[in-house]
Amino acid sequence: ERVTFDALEAALCALLWRDPELRAGALGRGEKILALLSDARVKEIALAILMESPDDLEVRWHSTGERLAPACIARGDSFCDELEFSLPPDASLWNAVCDALRRKRAEERMRRIDERMKRHEATSEELAEFQRLATQLKSGKKRP
């Protein structure tokens, strides 16, 4: 059975897996990092990477026959390799992935609010949030 993962979400896990400095920096911001992920399976993988060393995880996953997490990380590695070729030489792969995930979450939130607006169920707070997100996305700000 072939399991698929969102390439950006898998890339975030792969980057955390690859880089101990990113892991250390992300640990204090774990909640914000996990909020970028929509797939519960990927959230669990990212959390495991933040909480345990890759060496320990690799041993545990191997001993338990876990195949989902290594497949996610492999998918993310592959996507990162592709993405690196399209980025300027001085660009941060981590920032590119996180910014793209933030944008994706903002667009998804806007779609949900838009659906509520069409049914005339949106609250005034949701309308204000929709406007704020739309403005941020149009202006190209990195952190909607």
Side-chain angles (χ1 to χ4, degrees), residues 8-81:
L8 285 168
E9 293 191 10
L12 185 135
C13 288
L15 290 170
L16 289 172
W17 181 265
R18 289 179 183 182
D19 191 330
E21 289 181 24
L22 281 178
R23 274 194 309 280
L27 189 54
R29 301 183 336 255
E31 192 173 306
K32 288 185 179 188
I33 302 282
L34 295 176
L36 297 174
L37 306 171
S38 63
D39 186 327
R41 303 167 306 167
V42 178
K43 280 185 183 189
E44 287 180 24
I45 294 165
L47 184 59
I49 295 168
L50 289 172
M51 302 305 290
E52 293 185 53
S53 76
D55 291 338
D56 291 344
L57 285 172
E58 198 165 18
V59 168
R60 183 162 49 93
W61 291 340
H62 181 69
S63 70
T64 61
E66 170 64 41
R67 295 183 358 200
L68 192 67
C72 176
I73 293 166
R75 171 68 176 114
D77 274 333
S78 174
F79 184 75
C80 286
D81 291 345

Side-chain angles (χ1 to χ4, degrees), residues 2 11 19 25-26 33 36 62 69 93 102 105 111 114 125:
R2 185 158 171 91
D19 191 330
I33 302 282
L36 297 174
H62 181 69
L93 190 54
R102 282 185 197 94
R105 296 292 85 82
R111 276 192 292 279
D114 185 56
E125 291 84 11

Side-chain angles (χ1 to χ4, degrees), residues 124-143:
S124 58
E125 291 84 11
E126 288 172 322
L127 295 173
E129 180 184 7
F130 184 91
Q131 184 61 43
R132 180 183 55 79
L133 290 171
T135 301
Q136 287 175 337
L137 289 172
K138 283 182 184 175
S139 70
K141 287 185 181 176
K142 292 185 177 190
R143 304 196 188 279

Side-chain angles (χ1 to χ4, degrees), residues 69-131:
C72 176
I73 293 166
R75 171 68 176 114
D77 274 333
S78 174
F79 184 75
C80 286
D81 291 345
E82 294 171 22
L83 185 58
E84 278 183 308
F85 287 111
S86 66
L87 293 176
D90 60 337
S92 161
L93 190 54
W94 173 258
N95 288 340
V97 168
C98 289
D99 289 345
L101 283 168
R102 282 185 197 94
R103 182 174 190 80
K104 189 172 186 173
R105 296 292 85 82
E107 289 169 348
E108 288 170 355
R109 178 66 180 146
M110 285 183 64
R111 276 192 292 279
R112 287 192 303 272
I113 295 171
D114 185 56
E115 290 170 6
R116 290 181 52 78
M117 287 170 32
K118 288 176 181 171
R119 293 189 311 261
H120 304 287
E121 297 172 350
T123 65
S124 58
E125 291 84 11
E126 288 172 322
L127 295 173
E129 180 184 7
F130 184 91
Q131 184 61 43

